Amino acid sequence: MTSASVRPRPAAIPEIKAGRRTALRPGWALLPERVDGLARRATAGGAPSVSTHAPATGARLVDLPQSGERDLDTAFERARAAQCEWAKRPVKERAAVFARLHDLILREQSEILDVIQTETGKARSHAFEEVADVAINARYYSRAAADLLKPKGRPGALPLLTTASEVRHPKGVVVVVSPWNYPLALSVSDALPALIAGNAVVSRPDNQTALTTLWAHELAEEAGLPKDVWQVVLGRGKDIGAALIARADFVDYTGSTATGRGIATQAAQRLIGCSLELGGKNPMIVLDDADVAKAADGAIRACFSSAGQLCESMERLYVHADVYGEFVERFVGNVAALRLGADLDFDSDMGSLTFERQLELVSAHVEDARAKGATVLAGGRARPDLGPYFYEPTVLTGVTPEMDLYREETFGPVVALYRVSSEDEAIAQANDTRYGLNASVWTCDTKRGRRVAERLRAGAVNINEGYAAAWGSVAAPSGGVGDSGLGRRHGAEGILKYTDVQTIATQRLLPIAPLPGMSEQTWARTMTVALWAMRRLGVK
Ligand code: NAD
């Protein structure tokens, strides 16, 4: 660990309050027998196990079995066999499993909140966002899937004579590779539309947060998901990533842009589809007519949820000069009031980082910026007095292009503040990035907010909210442009990507060819007249 000591701070930087030192007294969900029972649900055991630790305390959590080649073969064989039967069930029957999952997850939430917090080190309110995410997706897809997946009639080649329809078939076995930062949301909410579409799923959660996925796997069986339709395998990306893609019919990946590129390359070689949800360097714009108090409050949620280890998190704040002074005062005051801790209750506002490497990256970005002349307005140091990977929520000004955090994703509780003199300048600066995942605009004039939003190059723009408005609107697609990814989750795209589309067309009465005895020339003339008529009549 790099920043092991708590550095004394200059008088101008406000003190960030410590919560209690996190103890993580686990409930029964994390007793050793329970943990071992969850670990046994994985198709794994053919490779040496890996130990995981609770980030907030450093305490050992579990020795996780790992999947070897044979385990992968077994998982895919079982998944393929189960998928054939699963796909034969009506969509409504498949969807009903997830309507029950919705109810169960809300009912059993205290247990999974303990597991998520223990594995990630995040605050309980941020763990709850994951429970809500799964419930929202389960509700939406269990209601909407039948309509989205049903065959759709399409205009035929020749009106009345040709009918056409679009039919959806499941891809087969979908691989879902999910990261550690939102382990419940990103493993379950991406798997559930694939399953409702009639696929089997092989999930590869990150080792650090595998218990969360395995807990959901158990709950899905309780909700009625047939055994073997959802397989969980375990292993580091570098160990089993390629072997998974080699066996998959479609790959859904969430993680860094660098890894996503490698996965896209392998998927392309196999000519299978992939959906990639990657990194971001998200901008938030506070316009001159914004409600500054609300914006300063919203910026806390936008920047520090899960200690900033959220792909949708804001790392750049562009504030109009007219409201800059007031915004800075309120925002820095809000940051200083945050309570750090990861106890299994709702008394902390921000938890720990999840890995030593995240702490190293965050510390390196802040130290680089400080060394090159940036000013720390709040935070700016590790808090080993609270737990091994705690880092204070940090606000910087004076960040310039030579500094690493100007363009690079920090993926931590660090945000740079920039003063801008116009709407156009804010938009130009916000768009000056290779990423394009999420953006946020604060204004009292929502029509103006929409105009600004349409000029931002980002897969989602939230007006008067950081990320939850767009993310939670699951009937609309979510995903990135540029280096932030390919494909979408949520909405129609979020389930149709797991299907192959087939066109079935029927020709009636007359062929699409000359009638008996008709010359090719007469046929061409007849068709020309018909094509002109179709255009005049507005046939699509
Ligand atoms: P990472 O790419 O190193 O790892 C992410 C996950 O991918 C890990 O679980 C890892 O085991 C796995 N992985 C690594 N190599 C693999 C391979 N060759 N094949 C298959 N899987 C492999 O990223 P990280 O640093 O651990 O995670 C943080 C990054 O993820 C950030 O850039 C963040 O923005 C991004 N992320 C994006 C979203 C989103 O929805 N857009 C959500 C969460 C995280």
Side-chain angles (χ1 to χ4, degrees):
M1 200 170 88
T2 48
S3 311
S5 61
V6 186
R7 211 180 302 111
R9 44 200 26 231
I13 304 177
E15 201 64 40
I16 307 257
K17 289 186 203 63
R20 291 189 302 275
R21 192 185 158 89
T22 296
L24 285 182
R25 279 175 297 276
W28 70 272
L30 292 160
L31 292 176
E33 314 81 82
R34 177 79 174 119
V35 165
D36 290 343
L38 287 176
R40 276 197 297 275
R41 301 189 70 79
T43 309
S49 63
V50 162
S51 301
T52 66
H53 296 81
T57 60
R60 195 188 140 274
L61 256 180
V62 60
D63 285 335
L64 273 181
Q66 299 287 281
S67 305
E69 284 279 332
R70 279 229 186 123
D71 295 314
L72 298 186
D73 284 339
T74 306
F76 277 83
E77 274 160 26
R78 288 181 185 158
R80 285 198 190 284
Q83 191 264 334
C84 294
E85 292 309 308
W86 176 242
K88 285 181 195 156
R89 297 197 190 182
V91 180
K92 284 203 167 144
E93 205 176 305
R94 299 196 299 256
V97 171
F98 294 91
R100 288 193 290 275
L101 184 76
H102 168 277
D103 300 350
L104 284 173
I105 207 152
L106 289 180
R107 207 174 297 145
E108 307 288 331
Q109 61 175 281
S110 69
E111 190 178 13
I112 190 58
L113 291 176
D114 285 1
V115 182
I116 296 172
Q117 278 197 279
T118 306
E119 288 196 312
T120 61
K122 65 175 70 177
R124 202 164 187 80
S125 54
H126 301 150
F128 177 74
E129 291 179 358
E130 302 206 45
V131 169
D133 179 79
V134 172
I136 292 169
N137 277 283
R139 186 195 66 220
Y140 170 68
Y141 281 117
S142 61
R143 288 256 167 88
D147 194 42
L148 293 170
L149 295 170
K150 75 180 180 201
K152 308 274 185 313
R154 300 291 182 218
L158 294 175
L160 304 175
L161 299 180
T162 322
T163 57
S165 64
E166 205 179 284
V167 178
R168 296 275 164 183
H169 296 282
K171 293 264 182 195
V173 179
V174 170
V175 163
V176 176
V177 179
S178 49
W180 43 269
N181 61 331
Y182 273 70
L184 183 71
L186 297 176
S187 62
V188 183
S189 297
D190 282 344
L192 73 87
L195 290 162
I196 295 178
N199 298 284
V201 167
V202 175
S203 285
R204 199 297 328 220
D206 196 281
N207 277 325
Q208 177 61 33
T209 50
L211 295 176
T212 296
T213 305
L214 291 162
W215 183 93
H217 186 254
E218 183 184 75
L219 201 70
E221 263 182 36
E222 203 181 320
L225 189 69
K227 199 168 166 332
D228 291 343
V229 171
W230 186 13
Q231 298 285 318
V232 179
V233 296
L234 301 175
R236 284 182 287 239
K238 66 179 172 55
D239 295 336
I240 65 167
L244 281 170
I245 299 164
R247 291 165 170 82
D249 298 316
F250 186 88
V251 184
D252 191 275
Y253 170 78
T254 304
S256 66
T257 301
T259 306
R261 266 187 228 289
I263 286 176
T265 306
Q266 289 174 63
Q269 272 166 358
R270 289 206 49 230
L271 292 180
I272 57 167
C274 64
S275 178
L276 308 169
E277 303 284 338
L278 310 175
K281 185 76 186 172
N282 305 307
M284 169 167 154
I285 296 174
V286 182
L287 294 172
D288 49 357
D289 67 343
D291 180 325
V292 177
K294 282 188 184 158
D297 203 30
I300 294 290
R301 297 190 296 281
C303 301
F304 303 122
S305 198
S306 295
Q309 298 169 119
L310 163 64
C311 51
E312 307 270 327
S313 203
M314 297 296 148
E315 295 195 0
R316 301 179 287 147
L317 293 190
Y318 299 103
V319 185
H320 194 279
D322 290 358
V323 292
Y324 186 83
E326 186 190 348
F327 179 86
V328 172
E329 195 184 328
R330 285 181 184 270
F331 182 50
V332 169
N334 289 345
V335 171
L338 291 175
R339 298 159 303 167
L340 303 191
D343 267 351
L344 304 180
D345 55 34
F346 284 95
D347 291 342
S348 302
D349 301 312
M350 194 186 97
S352 166
L353 294 166
T354 302
F355 290 111
E356 183 173 347
R357 67 170 191 270
Q358 286 306 120
L359 179 63
E360 284 172 357
L361 179 65
V362 167
S363 305
H365 272 188
V366 173
E367 289 319 311
D368 171 72
R370 213 190 311 242
K372 290 174 181 163
T375 305
V376 175
L377 295 183
R381 59 184 183 161
R383 292 297 295 265
D385 54 320
L386 295 173
Y389 310 141
F390 277 88
Y391 196 93
E392 290 183 342
T394 299
V395 184
L396 297 161
T397 55
V399 172
T400 54
E402 308 75 55
M403 301 173 192
D404 290 340
L405 67 77
Y406 184 83
R407 286 190 190 285
E408 298 306 317
E409 183 186 34
T410 306
F411 212 56
V414 179
V415 60
L417 271 174
Y418 303 90
R419 183 200 299 257
V420 290
S421 52
S422 69
E423 184 181 300
D424 284 348
E425 187 190 345
I427 293 169
Q429 291 217 31
N431 284 340
D432 183 18
T433 171
R434 63 193 172 98
Y435 292 112
L437 191 59
N438 184 32
S440 167
V441 180
W442 292 75
T443 170
C444 285
D445 177 352
T446 49
K447 280 195 184 141
R448 181 183 180 197
R450 281 187 63 97
R451 282 199 303 275
V452 171
E454 286 177 21
R455 293 174 62 196
L456 290 172
R457 197 172 152 273
V461 183
N462 290 266
I463 297 169
N464 295 333
E465 190 50 79
Y467 60 87
W471 182 263
S473 302
V474 298
S478 165
V481 299
D483 278 7
S484 291
L486 274 182
R488 294 288 180 267
R489 53 165 62 100
H490 298 169
E493 284 93 334
I495 190 165
L496 297 182
K497 70 182 177 184
Y498 297 125
T499 64
D500 283 321
V501 64
Q502 177 185 48
T503 297
I504 300 181
T506 309
Q507 191 62 24
R508 295 182 304 183
L509 304 174
L510 298 174
I512 306 184
L515 297 173
M518 185 187 268
S519 72
E520 289 290 346
Q521 193 179 17
T522 311
W523 163 247
R525 269 198 216 113
T526 312
M527 276 306 289
T528 303
V529 171
L531 291 170
W532 275 119
M534 282 195 269
R535 168 136 161 76
R536 296 248 155 77
L537 294 168
V539 172
K540 281 191 193 144

